[in-house]
Amino acid sequence: MNAPRGRPGHRRLRRRHLVAVVLSGLVVVALAACAMPRAATTRFDDITTRDGGANSRPDGRTGHEPPSDRSGSPRERQECADGTPATASYAPHDAEPGVVPEGSTMERIRERGALRVGISADTLRMSARDPFTGRIEGFDIDVARAVAEAIFGDPGRVRFRVITSAQREQVLIDHEVDIVVRTFTITCERWEQVAFSAEYYHAGQKLLVPSSSDVRSIAGLDGQRVCASEETTSLALLRTWEDVEPVAAATHTQCLALFQQGRVDALTGDDTVLAGFAAQDPYAKVVGEAVSDEPYGIGVPADQVDLVRFVNAVLERRAATGGWRQSYDRWLSDVLGGAPAPPTPLYGRAA
């Protein structure tokens, strides 16, 4: 897979494209951090070059954790201490989009005049600002507007607040926003601080490789260098892949830069993030089956269960009426393939 990318002309094109990416201001932030032990992994700062340039391979490969599984098996869904699956939410019961009960959280939001939503502004295809229109658009934004429409009858009654991944829980705890729609993976640890809707998108860890590459899965990566962002579950899983040299970078954007410079052969992360990269880089493509489960939910303050039930009713209607599929087709299908079925909601959590 390296021969085509090693051509000087190809590298120059990739560098020019990198400059365009940087100028566009589309900076993709790191995935939600997940503590993990440090393994013997090459950092991009550690890469030594034969010619002093940026594109040579390291002289020697570093070791990494022994292989455990290269079959691509996804991680098992998390089950919380009380036996409730992490992805179980509150059933909608009598909640109905467009119907705002008196005294409810939705009524207070309606009286305020806008739904306050915590989002990303730089996750292309999920939630990113269009440099030409200035509008923030993407799959996550469509979800937020659907909730606003169910409350106000107007999808435009939204007040977006751009937040980082690390701020997602705190802005809900402090009631600074009504909901967070920001590639927010549902976990039991987060349920201890906030509440989640039912799963609205099932992401998974995949590979980004050059468009000329024959690699189709992890099995084709033997002897190659693969980058993942530090302190993420993606890097933790990458370190278990046999005969692959893991390379750690501070952010996914730095991984993309290494990839475009030819200093790594592939990068790995959530397919939603990789879809945005592939959309920016005509020389890249997303391949392989997902090797992890990343169930996304809408974050809601823990003490506003009525809003969670209402949001779940919105999600159910959106899936039943084709809104989910239309949004997927618009933002993700050209990179990730045809639309899968929307996630099946799981309920059973007691208020």
Side-chain angles (χ1 to χ4, degrees):
M1 64 174 284
N2 294 324
R5 300 179 60 227
R7 293 196 300 269
H10 181 85
R11 289 201 298 268
R12 285 195 296 274
L13 287 171
R14 297 185 69 82
R15 290 193 189 103
R16 285 199 295 271
H17 191 76
L18 174 60
V19 171
V21 169
V22 172
L23 291 176
S24 71
L26 296 174
V27 178
V28 179
V29 298
L31 294 174
C34 181
M36 58 187 171
R38 293 280 298 174
T41 299
T42 303
R43 272 186 55 87
F44 79 93
D45 292 337
D46 301 330
I47 293 177
T48 57
T49 59
R50 294 179 180 132
D51 58 3
N55 299 318
S56 299
R57 283 177 174 276
D59 289 333
R61 294 179 50 202
T62 57
H64 50 84
E65 295 294 329
S68 60
D69 181 11
R70 296 195 61 198
S71 65
S73 299
R75 288 183 290 127
E76 293 182 358
R77 297 276 183 100
Q78 191 176 17
E79 188 172 272
C80 303
D82 62 357
T84 304
T87 54
S89 184
Y90 300 106
H93 292 325
D94 297 328
E96 183 177 347
V99 178
V100 175
E102 183 177 352
S104 67
T105 300
M106 293 74 74
E107 184 184 50
R108 292 194 293 275
I109 294 171
R110 178 181 281 182
E111 290 174 347
R112 187 197 306 131
L115 176 71
R116 303 172 304 172
V117 186
I119 59 164
S120 166
D122 52 18
T123 305
L124 197 63
R125 300 303 181 99
M126 294 298 287
S127 180
R129 191 180 302 278
D130 185 313
F132 299 103
T133 67
R135 288 172 55 87
I136 297 177
E137 300 176 333
F139 188 90
D140 275 354
I141 300 304
D142 288 351
V143 174
R145 293 192 185 282
V147 177
E149 184 172 22
I151 296 174
F152 295 99
D154 178 359
R157 300 287 284 273
V158 182
R159 188 185 306 159
F160 291 125
R161 175 175 172 179
V162 177
I163 58 174
T164 66
S165 295
Q167 292 174 318
R168 292 178 295 193
E169 293 174 52
Q170 195 60 50
V171 294
L172 292 171
I173 293 170
D174 295 339
H175 292 275
E176 295 177 3
V177 299
D178 300 308
I179 60 175
V180 166
V181 191
R182 196 192 188 287
T183 59
F184 204 3
T185 298
I186 305 168
T187 69
C188 291
E189 291 76 16
R190 289 171 175 162
W191 266 109
E192 294 176 2
Q193 302 293 327
V194 302
F196 283 102
S197 72
E199 180 182 3
Y200 71 90
Y201 187 87
H202 193 87
Q205 184 175 342
K206 291 188 177 182
L207 295 170
L208 186 79
V209 300
S211 55
S212 58
S213 173
D214 294 329
V215 170
R216 295 290 181 271
S217 68
I218 297 168
L221 290 173
D222 285 359
Q224 299 192 20
R225 296 159 297 160
V226 182
C227 186
S229 181
E230 290 180 334
E231 304 298 323
T232 64
T233 53
S234 297
L235 180 59
L237 189 57
L238 168 60
R239 283 172 167 152
T240 70
W241 297 349
E242 186 179 10
D243 297 329
V244 176
E245 181 178 338
V247 177
T251 67
H252 282 292
T253 301
Q254 290 188 359
C255 275
L256 180 63
L258 294 174
F259 175 76
Q260 292 175 323
Q261 293 166 357
R263 297 173 68 184
V264 299
D265 302 295
L267 62 92
T268 185
D270 276 12
D271 54 2
T272 50
V273 175
L274 300 185
F277 286 165
Q280 296 176 53
D281 189 337
Y283 299 100
K285 61 183 178 182
V286 180
V287 299
E289 296 295 325
V291 294
S292 71
D293 287 316
E294 305 295 342
Y296 292 165
I298 297 174
V300 179
D303 58 352
Q304 294 180 342
V305 173
D306 60 339
L307 181 56
V308 180
R309 297 188 191 280
F310 184 83
V311 167
N312 284 336
V314 174
L315 296 178
E316 283 195 9
R317 173 172 291 186
R318 190 165 179 264
T321 58
W324 188 97
R325 183 176 297 274
Q326 290 172 8
S327 183
Y328 180 96
D329 287 342
R330 179 181 182 189
W331 300 110
L332 301 172
S333 63
D334 62 333
V335 179
L336 299 182
T344 300
L346 181 63
Y347 303 123
R349 193 168 294 271

